[in-house]
mmCIF file of all heavy atoms in Angstrom:
data_model
loop_
_atom_site.group_PDB
_atom_site.id
_atom_site.type_symbol
_atom_site.label_atom_id
_atom_site.label_comp_id
_atom_site.label_asym_id
_atom_site.label_seq_id
_atom_site.Cartn_x
_atom_site.Cartn_y
_atom_site.Cartn_z
ATOM 1 N N GLY A 12 -11.622 -46.094 -42.681
ATOM 2 C CA GLY A 12 -10.381 -46.252 -43.423
ATOM 3 C C GLY A 12 -9.885 -47.689 -43.430
ATOM 4 O O GLY A 12 -9.383 -48.181 -44.450
ATOM 5 N N MET A 13 -10.035 -48.391 -42.308
ATOM 6 C CA MET A 13 -9.619 -49.793 -42.239
ATOM 7 C C MET A 13 -10.444 -50.655 -43.184
ATOM 8 O O MET A 13 -9.914 -51.534 -43.865
ATOM 9 C CB MET A 13 -9.737 -50.305 -40.800
ATOM 10 C CG MET A 13 -8.701 -49.736 -39.851
ATOM 11 S SD MET A 13 -8.967 -50.250 -38.137
ATOM 12 C CE MET A 13 -8.700 -52.022 -38.270
ATOM 13 N N TRP A 14 -11.757 -50.407 -43.253
ATOM 14 C CA TRP A 14 -12.612 -51.177 -44.144
ATOM 15 C C TRP A 14 -12.220 -50.956 -45.604
ATOM 16 O O TRP A 14 -12.133 -51.906 -46.393
ATOM 17 C CB TRP A 14 -14.075 -50.780 -43.938
ATOM 18 C CG TRP A 14 -15.021 -51.633 -44.740
ATOM 19 C CD1 TRP A 14 -15.623 -52.791 -44.356
ATOM 20 C CD2 TRP A 14 -15.471 -51.357 -46.083
ATOM 21 N NE1 TRP A 14 -16.413 -53.262 -45.375
ATOM 22 C CE2 TRP A 14 -16.353 -52.413 -46.451
ATOM 23 C CE3 TRP A 14 -15.220 -50.334 -47.005
ATOM 24 C CZ2 TRP A 14 -16.966 -52.463 -47.697
ATOM 25 C CZ3 TRP A 14 -15.833 -50.389 -48.245
ATOM 26 C CH2 TRP A 14 -16.698 -51.446 -48.581
ATOM 27 N N ILE A 15 -11.976 -49.703 -45.979
ATOM 28 C CA ILE A 15 -11.618 -49.380 -47.360
ATOM 29 C C ILE A 15 -10.305 -50.054 -47.756
ATOM 30 O O ILE A 15 -10.195 -50.664 -48.837
ATOM 31 C CB ILE A 15 -11.529 -47.856 -47.540
ATOM 32 C CG1 ILE A 15 -12.913 -47.223 -47.383
ATOM 33 C CG2 ILE A 15 -10.937 -47.501 -48.899
ATOM 34 C CD1 ILE A 15 -12.898 -45.715 -47.303
ATOM 35 N N ASN A 16 -9.296 -49.961 -46.894
ATOM 36 C CA ASN A 16 -8.006 -50.557 -47.216
ATOM 37 C C ASN A 16 -8.041 -52.078 -47.145
ATOM 38 O O ASN A 16 -7.338 -52.756 -47.906
ATOM 39 C CB ASN A 16 -6.934 -50.002 -46.267
ATOM 40 C CG ASN A 16 -6.552 -48.576 -46.601
ATOM 41 O OD1 ASN A 16 -5.823 -48.321 -47.547
ATOM 42 N ND2 ASN A 16 -7.070 -47.621 -45.827
ATOM 43 N N ALA A 17 -8.844 -52.636 -46.252
ATOM 44 C CA ALA A 17 -9.019 -54.092 -46.213
ATOM 45 C C ALA A 17 -9.663 -54.584 -47.506
ATOM 46 O O ALA A 17 -9.324 -55.678 -48.002
ATOM 47 C CB ALA A 17 -9.862 -54.493 -45.000
ATOM 48 N N PHE A 18 -10.581 -53.794 -48.052
ATOM 49 C CA PHE A 18 -11.204 -54.151 -49.328
ATOM 50 C C PHE A 18 -10.157 -54.203 -50.441
ATOM 51 O O PHE A 18 -10.133 -55.149 -51.248
ATOM 52 C CB PHE A 18 -12.290 -53.137 -49.669
ATOM 53 C CG PHE A 18 -12.824 -53.252 -51.067
ATOM 54 C CD1 PHE A 18 -13.746 -54.229 -51.388
ATOM 55 C CD2 PHE A 18 -12.392 -52.376 -52.055
ATOM 56 C CE1 PHE A 18 -14.221 -54.345 -52.680
ATOM 57 C CE2 PHE A 18 -12.874 -52.483 -53.345
ATOM 58 C CZ PHE A 18 -13.788 -53.472 -53.661
ATOM 59 N N ILE A 19 -9.281 -53.191 -50.500
ATOM 60 C CA ILE A 19 -8.230 -53.168 -51.525
ATOM 61 C C ILE A 19 -7.332 -54.391 -51.403
ATOM 62 O O ILE A 19 -7.036 -55.080 -52.398
ATOM 63 C CB ILE A 19 -7.402 -51.873 -51.412
ATOM 64 C CG1 ILE A 19 -8.259 -50.661 -51.781
ATOM 65 C CG2 ILE A 19 -6.169 -51.940 -52.312
ATOM 66 C CD1 ILE A 19 -7.537 -49.338 -51.606
ATOM 67 N N VAL A 20 -6.891 -54.686 -50.190
ATOM 68 C CA VAL A 20 -5.995 -55.821 -49.970
ATOM 69 C C VAL A 20 -6.667 -57.137 -50.339
ATOM 70 O O VAL A 20 -6.070 -58.007 -50.996
ATOM 71 C CB VAL A 20 -5.518 -55.843 -48.503
ATOM 72 C CG1 VAL A 20 -4.723 -57.120 -48.210
ATOM 73 C CG2 VAL A 20 -4.656 -54.618 -48.204
ATOM 74 N N SER A 21 -7.920 -57.309 -49.947
ATOM 75 C CA SER A 21 -8.624 -58.567 -50.216
ATOM 76 C C SER A 21 -8.830 -58.780 -51.715
ATOM 77 O O SER A 21 -8.644 -59.897 -52.219
ATOM 78 C CB SER A 21 -9.966 -58.584 -49.484
ATOM 79 O OG SER A 21 -10.803 -57.528 -49.919
ATOM 80 N N VAL A 22 -9.212 -57.721 -52.449
ATOM 81 C CA VAL A 22 -9.417 -57.845 -53.892
ATOM 82 C C VAL A 22 -8.117 -58.196 -54.597
ATOM 83 O O VAL A 22 -8.082 -59.067 -55.485
ATOM 84 C CB VAL A 22 -10.017 -56.543 -54.466
ATOM 85 C CG1 VAL A 22 -10.016 -56.581 -56.000
ATOM 86 C CG2 VAL A 22 -11.429 -56.338 -53.962
ATOM 87 N N ILE A 23 -7.030 -57.545 -54.207
ATOM 88 C CA ILE A 23 -5.743 -57.819 -54.842
ATOM 89 C C ILE A 23 -5.265 -59.233 -54.499
ATOM 90 O O ILE A 23 -4.691 -59.932 -55.354
ATOM 91 C CB ILE A 23 -4.704 -56.768 -54.417
ATOM 92 C CG1 ILE A 23 -5.100 -55.401 -54.977
ATOM 93 C CG2 ILE A 23 -3.313 -57.153 -54.920
ATOM 94 C CD1 ILE A 23 -4.172 -54.279 -54.585
ATOM 95 N N CYS A 24 -5.499 -59.684 -53.275
ATOM 96 C CA CYS A 24 -5.115 -61.048 -52.901
ATOM 97 C C CYS A 24 -5.905 -62.085 -53.698
ATOM 98 O O CYS A 24 -5.354 -63.106 -54.121
ATOM 99 C CB CYS A 24 -5.316 -61.260 -51.400
ATOM 100 S SG CYS A 24 -4.107 -60.426 -50.359
ATOM 101 N N VAL A 25 -7.200 -61.826 -53.912
ATOM 102 C CA VAL A 25 -8.008 -62.727 -54.741
ATOM 103 C C VAL A 25 -7.479 -62.755 -56.170
ATOM 104 O O VAL A 25 -7.373 -63.821 -56.806
ATOM 105 C CB VAL A 25 -9.495 -62.294 -54.707
ATOM 106 C CG1 VAL A 25 -10.299 -63.075 -55.748
ATOM 107 C CG2 VAL A 25 -10.081 -62.517 -53.324
ATOM 108 N N THR A 26 -7.123 -61.579 -56.688
ATOM 109 C CA THR A 26 -6.538 -61.500 -58.031
ATOM 110 C C THR A 26 -5.225 -62.255 -58.092
ATOM 111 O O THR A 26 -4.928 -62.938 -59.092
ATOM 112 C CB THR A 26 -6.319 -60.027 -58.423
ATOM 113 O OG1 THR A 26 -7.554 -59.313 -58.336
ATOM 114 C CG2 THR A 26 -5.773 -59.917 -59.834
ATOM 115 N N TRP A 27 -4.440 -62.141 -57.045
ATOM 116 C CA TRP A 27 -3.150 -62.835 -56.967
ATOM 117 C C TRP A 27 -3.351 -64.349 -57.012
ATOM 118 O O TRP A 27 -2.623 -65.073 -57.699
ATOM 119 C CB TRP A 27 -2.442 -62.420 -55.685
ATOM 120 C CG TRP A 27 -1.008 -62.846 -55.611
ATOM 121 C CD1 TRP A 27 -0.275 -63.496 -56.565
ATOM 122 C CD2 TRP A 27 -0.118 -62.618 -54.519
ATOM 123 N NE1 TRP A 27 1.005 -63.696 -56.149
ATOM 124 C CE2 TRP A 27 1.129 -63.168 -54.885
ATOM 125 C CE3 TRP A 27 -0.270 -62.010 -53.270
ATOM 126 C CZ2 TRP A 27 2.220 -63.130 -54.022
ATOM 127 C CZ3 TRP A 27 0.832 -61.967 -52.434
ATOM 128 C CH2 TRP A 27 2.058 -62.522 -52.794
ATOM 129 N N VAL A 28 -4.327 -64.829 -56.274
ATOM 130 C CA VAL A 28 -4.597 -66.276 -56.255
ATOM 131 C C VAL A 28 -5.059 -66.759 -57.630
ATOM 132 O O VAL A 28 -4.664 -67.844 -58.093
ATOM 133 C CB VAL A 28 -5.652 -66.603 -55.178
ATOM 134 C CG1 VAL A 28 -6.098 -68.064 -55.288
ATOM 135 C CG2 VAL A 28 -5.101 -66.321 -53.789
ATOM 136 N N ARG A 29 -5.884 -65.975 -58.301
ATOM 137 C CA ARG A 29 -6.417 -66.382 -59.603
ATOM 138 C C ARG A 29 -5.364 -66.325 -60.702
ATOM 139 O O ARG A 29 -5.226 -67.255 -61.506
ATOM 140 C CB ARG A 29 -7.603 -65.492 -59.967
ATOM 141 C CG ARG A 29 -8.850 -65.745 -59.134
ATOM 142 C CD ARG A 29 -9.981 -64.820 -59.556
ATOM 143 N NE ARG A 29 -11.201 -65.082 -58.789
ATOM 144 C CZ ARG A 29 -12.320 -64.385 -58.917
ATOM 145 N NH1 ARG A 29 -12.381 -63.369 -59.786
ATOM 146 N NH2 ARG A 29 -13.383 -64.681 -58.184
ATOM 147 N N LYS A 30 -4.617 -65.223 -60.755
ATOM 148 C CA LYS A 30 -3.649 -65.042 -61.839
ATOM 149 C C LYS A 30 -2.273 -65.612 -61.519
ATOM 150 O O LYS A 30 -1.421 -65.701 -62.407
ATOM 151 C CB LYS A 30 -3.506 -63.552 -62.153
ATOM 152 C CG LYS A 30 -4.788 -62.893 -62.648
ATOM 153 C CD LYS A 30 -4.522 -61.538 -63.261
ATOM 154 C CE LYS A 30 -3.669 -60.638 -62.403
ATOM 155 N NZ LYS A 30 -3.444 -59.307 -63.005
ATOM 156 N N LYS A 31 -2.029 -65.945 -60.257
ATOM 157 C CA LYS A 31 -0.729 -66.454 -59.803
ATOM 158 C C LYS A 31 0.380 -65.415 -59.894
ATOM 159 O O LYS A 31 1.544 -65.725 -59.671
ATOM 160 C CB LYS A 31 -0.305 -67.711 -60.594
ATOM 161 C CG LYS A 31 -1.349 -68.820 -60.642
ATOM 162 C CD LYS A 31 -1.679 -69.349 -59.265
ATOM 163 C CE LYS A 31 -2.692 -70.487 -59.344
ATOM 164 N NZ LYS A 31 -3.067 -70.991 -58.004
ATOM 165 N N THR A 32 0.025 -64.195 -60.237
ATOM 166 C CA THR A 32 1.022 -63.128 -60.329
ATOM 167 C C THR A 32 0.334 -61.778 -60.167
ATOM 168 O O THR A 32 -0.886 -61.671 -60.280
ATOM 169 C CB THR A 32 1.752 -63.177 -61.691
ATOM 170 O OG1 THR A 32 2.780 -62.180 -61.712
ATOM 171 C CG2 THR A 32 0.779 -62.923 -62.823
ATOM 172 N N LEU A 33 1.142 -60.746 -59.899
ATOM 173 C CA LEU A 33 0.638 -59.382 -59.759
ATOM 174 C C LEU A 33 1.479 -58.449 -60.606
ATOM 175 O O LEU A 33 2.704 -58.615 -60.706
ATOM 176 C CB LEU A 33 0.681 -58.925 -58.295
ATOM 177 C CG LEU A 33 -0.250 -59.603 -57.294
ATOM 178 C CD1 LEU A 33 0.027 -59.080 -55.896
ATOM 179 C CD2 LEU A 33 -1.706 -59.376 -57.654
ATOM 180 N N ASN A 34 0.838 -57.443 -61.210
ATOM 181 C CA ASN A 34 1.621 -56.426 -61.908
ATOM 182 C C ASN A 34 2.162 -55.419 -60.901
ATOM 183 O O ASN A 34 1.843 -55.472 -59.701
ATOM 184 C CB ASN A 34 0.782 -55.743 -62.996
ATOM 185 C CG ASN A 34 -0.476 -55.088 -62.454
ATOM 186 O OD1 ASN A 34 -0.463 -54.478 -61.380
ATOM 187 N ND2 ASN A 34 -1.576 -55.203 -63.187
ATOM 188 N N SER A 35 2.976 -54.501 -61.372
ATOM 189 C CA SER A 35 3.663 -53.565 -60.471
ATOM 190 C C SER A 35 2.690 -52.673 -59.728
ATOM 191 O O SER A 35 2.861 -52.398 -58.530
ATOM 192 C CB SER A 35 4.651 -52.711 -61.271
ATOM 193 O OG SER A 35 5.641 -53.514 -61.867
ATOM 194 N N ASN A 36 1.648 -52.206 -60.417
ATOM 195 C CA ASN A 36 0.655 -51.351 -59.785
ATOM 196 C C ASN A 36 -0.052 -52.082 -58.649
ATOM 197 O O ASN A 36 -0.267 -51.527 -57.558
ATOM 198 C CB ASN A 36 -0.365 -50.881 -60.824
ATOM 199 C CG ASN A 36 -1.379 -49.919 -60.259
ATOM 200 O OD1 ASN A 36 -1.044 -48.991 -59.536
ATOM 201 N ND2 ASN A 36 -2.640 -50.148 -60.574
ATOM 202 N N GLU A 37 -0.405 -53.334 -58.865
ATOM 203 C CA GLU A 37 -1.084 -54.124 -57.841
ATOM 204 C C GLU A 37 -0.175 -54.402 -56.653
ATOM 205 O O GLU A 37 -0.631 -54.445 -55.507
ATOM 206 C CB GLU A 37 -1.588 -55.433 -58.450
ATOM 207 C CG GLU A 37 -2.737 -55.243 -59.429
ATOM 208 C CD GLU A 37 -3.063 -56.494 -60.211
ATOM 209 O OE1 GLU A 37 -2.161 -57.355 -60.350
ATOM 210 O OE2 GLU A 37 -4.195 -56.624 -60.693
#
């Protein structure tokens, strides 16, 4: 479970860095 949730957090953080913003779902 920790690996799965760490994957979600890491992908969203990478998206955040690239787009400089996050939508509500993210």
Side-chain angles (χ1 to χ4, degrees):
M13 289 175 65
W14 185 91
I15 293 170
N16 286 283
F18 169 79
I19 293 176
V20 173
S21 61
V22 171
I23 294 178
C24 287
V25 170
T26 304
W27 191 3
V28 171
R29 289 180 178 177
K30 298 194 311 181
K31 308 298 182 182
T32 184
L33 292 176
N34 58 40
S35 298
N36 184 45
E37 290 170 336

